């Protein structure tokens, strides 16, 4: 009686589970044998900045054409390895590589977006992305973004702006300017010395803006808005050579 009961348990529970596991393994193997029929690439976040294209990603997937993936079974390569290869590209923010039910290889990539360009008189220029990453410049495309200069950036060319508090604070200020329609139209260049002291060169007016550090930058921008809205229209747009915003509740014009 006990033997019969145990046999029923095996037939009702263990055997179906075993069949299910075997079936999954069989289906998985069959899927691995499916050929890569087509590579479909979707690149997001370009917004007019074309630093990377489908040909570049195809080149990454095939190791510059040295490795075949098209018309080969998926068991011949690992999608995770291909995904890591695409993600290693500096202008890729994130990428996902997978296959669909039809056997196509799908690549969903998000391009990194530059928000400022670091001018480096001693070497190559770099971009800062909207994620605080340091990016190389491109021979293919030049982004129209605010220029950054000064010794402050020397230590960040080999690391991210988010590596320490000083870098984070300046990055958040740069990102604020880039996202604000008024200020992004006003500022052509930020010069930052090794102490974090900022001088701003405007797009239109000739005044050098002695901004100081990023501390209380919203208050300083409010004072600068007063300078643009009230002082310059009253006194003349080219009367002053510089405006100093470093002192609390003061606007010093000379």
């Amino acid at each position: 009686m006990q033997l019969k009961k145990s046999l029923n348990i095996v037939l009702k529970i263990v055997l179906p589970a075993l069949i299910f596991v075997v079936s999954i393994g069989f289906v998985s193997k069959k899927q691995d044998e499916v050929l890569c029929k087509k590579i479909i690439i979707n690149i997001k976040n370009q917004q007019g900045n074309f630093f990377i294209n489908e040909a570049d990603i195809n080149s990454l997937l095939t190791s510059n054409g040295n490795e075949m993936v098209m018309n080969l079974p998926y068991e011949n390569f690992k999608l995770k390895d291909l995904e890591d290869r695409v993600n290693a590209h500096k202008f890729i923010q994130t990428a996902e590589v997978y296959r669909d039910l039809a056997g196509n290889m799908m690549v969903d990539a998000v391009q990194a977006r530059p928000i400022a360009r670091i001018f480096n008189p001693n070497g190559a220029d770099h971009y800062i992305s909207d994620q605080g990453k340091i990016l190389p410049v491109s021979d293919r495309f030049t982004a129209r973004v605010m220029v950054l200069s000064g010794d402050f950036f020397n230590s960040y060319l080999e690391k991210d702006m988010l590596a320490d508090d000083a870098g984070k604070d300046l990055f958040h200020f740069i990102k604020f300017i880039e996202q604000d329609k008024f200020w992004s139209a006003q500022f052509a260049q930020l010069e930052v010395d090794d102490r974090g002291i900022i001088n701003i060169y405007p797009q239109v007016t000739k005044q050098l803006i002695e901004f100081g550090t990023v501390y209380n930058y919203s208050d300083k921008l409010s004072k600068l808005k007063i300078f643009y809205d009230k002082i310059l229209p009253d006194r003349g747009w080219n009367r002053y050579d510089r405006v100093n915003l470093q002192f609390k509740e003061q606007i010093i014009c000379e």
Side-chain angles (χ1 to χ4, degrees):
M1 193 71 184
Q2 185 66 31
L3 180 61
K4 185 177 181 181
K5 186 176 181 181
S6 299
L7 185 60
N8 286 335
I9 291 174
V10 170
L11 292 175
K12 291 181 179 180
I13 300 176
V14 178
L15 186 59
L18 182 61
I19 293 173
F20 177 75
V21 170
V22 172
S23 299
I24 290 295
F26 179 76
V27 170
S28 178
K29 182 170 178 57
K30 281 295 184 182
Q31 288 180 341
D32 286 340
E33 293 172 353
V34 171
L35 301 183
C36 175
K37 296 180 180 179
K38 187 178 181 181
I39 299 175
I40 300 176
I41 299 170
N42 178 35
I43 304 175
K44 300 178 182 178
N45 203 37
Q46 288 184 297
Q47 300 178 8
N49 296 320
F50 302 104
F51 292 101
I52 192 165
N53 57 31
E54 292 185 14
D56 296 323
I57 293 180
N58 262 312
S59 182
L60 293 170
L61 294 172
T62 62
S63 188
N64 295 320
N66 294 315
E67 298 176 12
M68 296 297 294
V69 293
M70 288 283 290
N71 298 318
L72 290 181
Y74 279 96
E75 64 184 0
N76 283 32
F77 47 83
K78 293 182 179 180
L79 291 176
K80 184 63 170 63
D81 291 345
L82 298 182
E83 183 175 282
D84 290 343
R85 198 180 290 176
V86 176
N87 273 310
H89 194 284
K90 277 287 189 177
F91 276 103
I92 294 294
Q93 183 174 308
T94 59
E96 185 179 4
V97 180
Y98 57 97
R99 67 186 183 196
D100 65 9
L101 295 176
N104 299 312
M105 182 185 296
M106 309 295 294
V107 182
D108 292 338
V110 178
Q111 180 183 262
R113 186 174 69 85
I115 60 172
R117 178 169 180 153
I118 300 173
F119 171 70
N120 180 18
N122 300 315
D125 288 3
H126 293 75
Y127 288 116
I128 296 177
S129 80
D130 61 352
Q131 303 295 309
K133 304 291 185 181
I134 301 298
L135 308 174
V137 293
S138 170
D139 294 332
R140 177 184 301 157
F141 188 84
T142 301
R144 299 185 64 180
V145 291
M146 183 172 62
V147 174
L148 309 172
S149 62
D151 292 339
F152 180 90
F153 299 100
N154 293 342
S155 63
Y156 292 94
L157 296 181
E158 301 299 327
K159 59 184 181 181
D160 296 339
M161 290 294 292
L162 305 181
D164 55 41
D165 289 340
K168 287 179 185 177
D169 290 342
L170 185 60
F171 167 69
H172 291 313
F173 177 53
I174 293 168
K175 191 170 183 178
F176 175 85
I177 294 171
E178 190 269 338
Q179 292 177 335
D180 187 281
K181 289 184 179 180
F182 179 80
W183 295 120
S184 62
Q186 294 299 318
F187 298 158
Q189 179 179 346
L190 265 61
E191 181 183 63
V192 190
D193 69 13
D194 55 1
R195 301 167 298 163
I197 305 298
I198 304 168
N199 285 330
I200 300 176
Y201 297 87
Q203 293 271 15
V204 181
T205 59
K206 71 171 190 175
Q207 295 83 19
L208 172 66
I209 302 167
E210 297 175 349
F211 197 83
T213 67
V214 295
Y215 178 72
N216 278 343
Y217 70 78
S218 59
D219 291 340
K220 294 175 182 178
L221 290 175
S222 295
K223 290 193 292 184
L224 186 58
K225 191 69 164 59
I226 293 172
F227 175 75
Y228 283 143
D229 290 345
K230 297 182 179 180
I231 297 176
L232 286 184
D234 182 58
R235 303 293 180 86
W237 289 90
N238 295 313
R239 178 168 180 174
Y240 301 109
D241 292 322
R242 70 184 187 95
V243 53
N244 191 318
L245 306 172
Q246 299 182 66
F247 301 100
K248 188 175 181 179
E249 298 180 356
Q250 293 185 53
I251 305 174
I252 300 174
C253 307
E254 294 182 354

